[in-house]
Amino acid sequence: MNFKHLMSRVVFDVTGLSEDVVSLSLDGVRTKTSVDFSKMSASATGDPGAIKAASSSSGGKKTWELITVPQSCVPTVKLVTASGKEYVIPASDSLSFISGREISAKVRIIESMGVCSFSASVAPWSDGGKMKFEDKRWRDLAFTRNRQIH
């Protein structure tokens, strides 16, 4: 049994700030979807809105992640620092959020110069986008979930 990600994942790396980022969102993206199960595809519908990213830390480094509907648009990254300072960074070009793909987004802020930059690269979803049922990671996950339920 193979599984396929129908959505697109975005991972943000924010650098250059002297204080902690407490909120990050991606604005200008459509947040509703239409799924065609016969083609195993999803497409964005509705008006543009915002998706709030979730933060995670690993090895002392904080990243922000979100999942969005496949689409092409010119989004804006909004982030808020611990002191309440807000940064709004528009993408300079259209981005394509592709089913099963991951965008690595770099947000760089140079506070002393008032400069913000946003760049992105696209690659397969970091877990490979597909996972066979026999895969050890799947067995471990299934075992953990079963143990938690009982």
Side-chain angles (χ1 to χ4, degrees), residues 9 13 16 20 28 71 78 88 108 117 136 149:
R9 179 178 177 199
D13 178 21
D20 197 27
Q71 62 190 288
K78 289 186 181 179
V88 178
R108 184 171 181 230
S117 68
K136 182 182 182 322
I149 292 170

Side-chain angles (χ1 to χ4, degrees), residues 8-51:
S8 181
R9 179 178 177 199
V10 186
V11 179
F12 294 91
D13 178 21
V14 180
T15 60
L17 286 172
S18 58
E19 60 182 313
D20 197 27
V21 174
V22 295
S23 173
L24 188 146
S25 65
L26 188 65
D27 295 9
V29 294
R30 289 175 285 163
T31 59
K32 295 183 179 179
T33 186
S34 173
V35 177
D36 184 338
F37 290 105
S38 67
K39 295 180 182 176
M40 290 308 295
S41 65
S43 56
T45 62
D47 295 326
I51 301 173

Side-chain angles (χ1 to χ4, degrees), residues 137-150:
R137 292 175 297 170
W138 175 256
R139 285 195 318 268
D140 292 347
L141 178 64
F143 175 73
T144 303
R145 285 192 177 164
N146 287 337
R147 191 172 57 204
Q148 289 174 347
I149 292 170
H150 296 293

Side-chain angles (χ1 to χ4, degrees), residues 67-126:
I67 295 174
T68 187
V69 178
Q71 62 190 288
S72 290
C73 62
V74 182
T76 299
V77 176
K78 289 186 181 179
L79 57 94
V80 179
T81 64
S83 67
K85 188 168 185 176
E86 185 175 290
Y87 292 88
V88 178
I89 308 143
S92 59
D93 250 335
S94 179
L95 287 177
S96 292
F97 300 98
I98 302 166
S99 179
R101 305 295 270 181
E102 175 178 294
I103 291 182
S104 294
K106 307 248 183 245
V107 178
R108 184 171 181 230
I109 298 171
I110 304 172
E111 289 180 285
S112 62
M113 298 175 68
V115 175
C116 302
S117 68
F118 174 76
S119 62
S121 60
V122 180
W125 198 303
S126 64

